[in-house]
Amino acid sequence: MASTSTAKSSFTNYARLGCAAQSELPNVLQKLLTIKQPHHMLYMHVSANKSLSRTLRAHEWKQITGAQLNGYSNLDISLCYKLIRNLNLVPPPTQGWDFPADPTPLELTVGDDIERIRRKRNEVLHRGNTLVTDQELTDYFTIFKAISGRLEIYLGTATNEFVSTFEHLESCCMDIETEKMYMENLEILRKDENTFKEQISLVRNTVEMIEKQEQDLKFTLNEHKVSIQSLDNEIKNTASKCKSGTETLEKVTEQHQQYIKTLEQSTSSQTVRIKSLEDATEKSDYKTENLNAKTDDHEVKIENLEVSVDEHDIKIERLEDTTDEHQNMIGTLEVLTGQHQGKIGSLEDQTNQHSDQIVEIEEHTTVHKEQIGKLKEITDISQENMRTLNERTDVHQDKIGTLEVENLTQEEKEQYIQTQEYHKKKKMESLYNAIDLAQEQYKNELALFQQATIEKGTANGITIDALTDQIYAASENEDMDLFESLSGELNAFIENMKRESQDASDMAMQRSQQHQTHMSNLNRELRATMLDQPVLSDDYIALKTTDRPKGVNNDEP
């Protein structure tokens, strides 16, 4: 019976540790976040912190988005630790964050206690033995209560706000169902953390493989670029040679044709002469021998000319063969050019797809800019009204400044002071209204910006999750083409998301500076109006009753 009671007590002690790790320790960190980091500004600050935003997982982004409305009650210790550490909400531990060794008993800064909470939670979570002795329980809760007491002093909370919770948990009765619930939750957390580690390892391996493939693709692309450039140069050189050869061929052909024409003309002339000689032979027999001799000479010349014509014909045939070879080369170059144009067309299609995505993003950006422009127009109208009021006041003061000081009665002096007080009150009311309007406009504008940022962040997270699932599916199916295509799309989407986030942050910062400048001007004018006392002086005097300026009524205070 004693052994059974001891085992039961040990399981109860383990359940108490589980409750402390799952509920009470997170409550301490959630309280610190509530005091140090307003929950409605959390999403914007996390998004602006690039080193932090890159390490957050999808479910952690959902918790951060929900914190804007529900506070920090749903954040676990791991996420609280990330936010406190990366947003610099407390000074770092003595030995730095995530130091290999635990903080020593003499290292008691708030950063050291945050580090202790994370390490003790992990120690309970990964504890292999579920049997916890009473002494072990006492040691754990002594540390928990010491940490809680120091954080109560640091945060300025009520005395024993955290410590009393651990004291009650250490000794309170715990039913079987509660013990079972905390032990099951510990087991689920242990499995989930192991699963996350495996997923992180898988993602890391996938990223390394993607980076290697990206380097291979860049190398292959550079080779293609060099090949295409070489092919373009070769095409240009060949085209230039073909053009030069064709022009030379045309010139030689033209010269041959001209030469043949000359030969034809010469042959025709010789034929006429031969005919003339034959006629002369019939008339004069004694000249026959001379004519025959001349005829033989001409026939030899004609034969020589015919041989020369045959040689030119052979040259022309050779030139025609050369022209055919050039045409074949031109045909081959046209085929290569067609293939090159096909590749260029494919690249242009991809470029058009990216251009369509960019146009869609620019449309969203235009809508946000239009909303901001409307708010600026309202602010400009308000400022114009203020300038008009100031100009009227200046005109009234200038008129009063030109009046003569003569025989002022006490009643007239009091009337002037009342009038001054009335105008001062009206101007201050107008300034207060302008300040309230500017604050309300900026508040509405900030709410719209936050809502748009949340919606954009949620949509981006869904898109990234979908692309990641498709990449895993392609990797499992060993479809490398689809894998490379989806990887490129994911990288492009992430780069575009970074640019959008940076643009939105710059726009919000610029609008904040404009609002601060406007509020500073209004407050400066309000202070000047409040310090303006209604006194009678050489520069600012009242009129007699008979010389009172137009618009000032004795009955109007």
Side-chain angles (χ1 to χ4, degrees):
M1 291 293 291
S3 176
T4 304
S5 176
T6 301
K8 181 178 179 181
S9 175
S10 297
F11 279 116
T12 302
N13 291 342
Y14 184 65
R16 295 182 195 278
L17 285 181
C19 179
Q22 299 171 46
S23 179
E24 302 308 330
L25 290 177
N27 288 341
V28 175
L29 297 185
Q30 291 166 6
K31 183 71 173 181
L32 187 148
L33 282 171
T34 302
I35 295 175
K36 295 292 185 178
Q37 173 62 54
H39 62 87
H40 61 278
M41 300 292 290
L42 177 64
Y43 186 89
M44 184 168 62
H45 290 169
V46 172
S47 299
N49 192 316
K50 296 181 180 180
S51 60
L52 173 60
S53 59
R54 283 197 297 265
T55 62
L56 294 176
R57 295 188 286 266
H59 75 280
E60 291 176 328
W61 274 113
K62 292 180 181 179
Q63 293 182 33
I64 290 172
T65 303
Q68 295 194 115
L69 299 176
N70 305 320
Y72 298 108
S73 58
N74 295 326
L75 273 63
D76 57 17
I77 286 182
S78 297
L79 183 54
C80 290
Y81 175 82
K82 285 183 181 180
L83 296 176
I84 294 172
R85 172 179 174 176
N86 290 279
L87 295 179
N88 299 320
L89 301 183
V90 300
T94 304
Q95 299 296 333
W97 296 107
D98 203 16
F99 190 71
D102 293 339
T104 66
L106 298 179
E107 295 172 351
L108 302 176
T109 66
V110 61
D112 294 323
D113 285 335
I114 300 300
E115 191 68 33
R116 285 189 180 91
I117 290 175
R118 181 181 72 90
R119 292 172 184 254
K120 290 299 177 184
R121 177 260 187 189
N122 292 339
E123 185 178 320
V124 172
L125 182 64
H126 298 290
R127 181 185 176 91
N129 185 7
T130 59
L131 299 178
V132 180
T133 65
D134 292 340
Q135 184 58 45
E136 288 177 320
L137 182 69
T138 300
D139 294 340
Y140 272 111
F141 272 82
T142 299
I143 296 174
F144 294 160
K145 288 184 287 187
I147 293 172
S148 301
R150 289 191 292 269
L151 288 177
E152 286 176 357
I153 296 173
Y154 176 77
L155 297 175
T157 60
T159 305
N160 289 332
E161 179 177 348
F162 301 141
V163 175
S164 60
T165 304
F166 286 103
E167 290 176 344
H168 174 73
L169 178 60
E170 184 179 8
S171 59
C172 70
C173 296
M174 186 173 290
D175 55 48
I176 296 176
E177 293 297 328
T178 304
E179 293 179 7
K180 183 178 180 181
M181 178 189 69
Y182 283 115
M183 294 176 70
E184 289 177 351
N185 288 342
L186 282 174
E187 185 64 25
I188 292 172
L189 287 173
R190 187 183 298 110
K191 291 181 179 179
D192 288 344
E193 187 153 334
N194 291 333
T195 301
F196 281 135
K197 289 182 179 179
E198 292 176 358
Q199 291 177 350
I200 290 172
S201 178
L202 179 60
V203 170
R204 186 179 293 110
N205 293 334
T206 303
V207 169
E208 291 176 355
M209 183 174 62
I210 290 173
E211 290 177 350
K212 184 177 182 303
Q213 292 177 351
E214 185 178 357
Q215 291 177 356
D216 294 339
L217 287 174
K218 288 181 178 178
F219 180 74
T220 303
L221 181 59
N222 290 332
E223 288 184 343
H224 285 311
K225 287 182 178 179
V226 173
S227 299
I228 291 171
Q229 184 65 32
S230 177
L231 182 60
D232 286 339
N233 294 333
E234 186 177 350
I235 290 172
K236 291 179 180 178
N237 293 333
T238 305
S240 177
K241 291 180 180 178
C242 290
K243 182 178 180 181
S244 176
T246 303
E247 291 176 354
T248 303
L249 178 62
E250 290 177 351
K251 291 179 180 179
V252 172
T253 303
E254 184 178 357
Q255 291 176 358
H256 287 176
Q257 289 176 352
Q258 185 67 28
Y259 188 60
I260 292 170
K261 185 177 180 181
T262 302
L263 290 176
E264 290 177 350
Q265 292 176 353
S266 177
T267 304
S268 176
S269 175
Q270 294 296 331
T271 303
V272 171
R273 289 180 181 181
I274 292 169
K275 187 177 180 180
S276 176
L277 289 172
E278 288 176 351
D279 293 338
T281 301
E282 292 178 355
K283 295 179 179 180
S284 303
D285 294 334
Y286 66 91
K287 293 181 180 181
T288 299
E289 293 178 357
N290 293 331
L291 290 174
N292 288 332
K294 291 180 180 181
T295 299
D296 293 335
D297 294 336
H298 286 297
E299 287 177 352
V300 171
K301 291 181 180 180
I302 290 172
E303 288 175 358
N304 293 331
L305 291 174
E306 289 176 349
V307 170
S308 178
V309 170
D310 294 336
E311 290 176 354
H312 286 298
D313 291 337
I314 292 172
K315 291 181 179 180
I316 290 171
E317 290 176 356
R318 291 177 180 176
L319 291 173
E320 290 175 349
D321 294 337
T322 304
T323 302
D324 294 336
E325 291 177 357
H326 288 172
Q327 290 178 349
N328 292 333
M329 292 176 64
I330 292 171
T332 303
L333 292 175
E334 289 177 349
V335 171
L336 294 174
T337 303
Q339 295 176 354
H340 179 57
Q341 289 177 349
K343 293 180 180 179
I344 293 174
S346 177
L347 292 174
E348 289 177 348
D349 293 338
Q350 295 178 2
T351 303
N352 291 334
Q353 292 177 0
H354 291 299
S355 298
D356 294 337
Q357 295 176 355
I358 292 171
V359 169
E360 183 177 355
I361 293 171
E362 289 177 348
E363 290 177 354
H364 290 294
T365 304
T366 302
V367 172
H368 291 303
K369 289 182 178 178
E370 290 177 354
Q371 294 176 351
I372 294 173
K374 292 181 180 178
L375 293 173
K376 290 181 178 179
E377 290 178 1
I378 296 174
T379 303
D380 293 338
I381 293 174
S382 176
Q383 293 176 348
E384 183 64 27
N385 292 336
M386 286 299 303
R387 283 195 294 271
T388 303
L389 178 60
N390 291 334
E391 290 174 358
R392 293 178 178 176
T393 303
D394 294 338
V395 171
H396 180 64
Q397 291 175 351
D398 292 339
K399 289 182 178 180
I400 293 176
T402 59
L403 300 177
E404 298 178 353
V405 182
E406 290 183 6
N407 301 327
L408 295 178
T409 66
Q410 185 64 29
E411 180 181 359
E412 290 171 343
K413 294 179 181 180
E414 293 176 354
Q415 180 63 35
Y416 167 75
I417 293 173
Q418 291 177 358
T419 303
Q420 288 289 82
E421 287 289 345
Y422 173 78
H423 288 299
K424 176 180 178 181
K425 180 180 179 182
K426 285 297 183 180
K427 186 174 182 180
M428 290 176 64
E429 288 177 354
S430 176
L431 289 171
Y432 281 129
N433 291 335
I435 291 172
D436 292 340
L437 177 61
Q439 291 177 340
E440 185 65 23
Q441 289 175 349
Y442 182 73
K443 181 179 179 182
N444 294 336
E445 184 177 345
L446 183 60
L448 291 173
F449 174 78
Q450 291 177 347
Q451 181 180 359
T453 304
I454 292 171
E455 293 175 354
K456 189 64 177 177
T458 302
N460 289 340
I462 293 173
T463 303
I464 291 175
D465 290 342
L467 287 174
T468 304
D469 293 340
Q470 293 177 11
I471 289 173
Y472 287 153
S475 177
E476 292 175 354
N477 295 332
E478 297 182 356
D479 188 351
M480 296 309 298
D481 292 337
L482 180 59
F483 181 89
E484 294 173 356
S485 176
L486 292 174
S487 298
E489 184 176 352
L490 177 60
N491 291 333
F493 182 82
I494 291 174
E495 290 298 324
N496 188 45
M497 184 177 66
K498 290 179 181 178
R499 288 194 297 272
E500 289 181 349
S501 177
Q502 184 62 39
D503 293 340
S505 177
D506 295 341
M507 185 183 298
M509 183 63 67
Q510 182 180 3
R511 182 63 186 95
S512 175
Q513 293 174 353
Q514 292 176 351
H515 174 71
Q516 291 176 0
T517 302
H518 182 52
M519 293 300 297
S520 176
N521 293 335
L522 291 176
N523 287 325
R524 189 182 301 109
E525 187 172 359
L526 180 61
R527 286 195 299 271
T529 303
M530 294 174 66
L531 294 174
D532 185 13
Q533 298 297 328
V535 296
L536 293 174
S537 64
D538 294 338
D539 298 326
Y540 224 73
I541 54 178
L543 293 177
K544 295 180 180 180
T545 305
T546 56
D547 298 329
R548 187 173 290 106
K550 184 179 181 180
V552 177
N553 191 344
N554 286 332
D555 297 332
E556 183 179 0

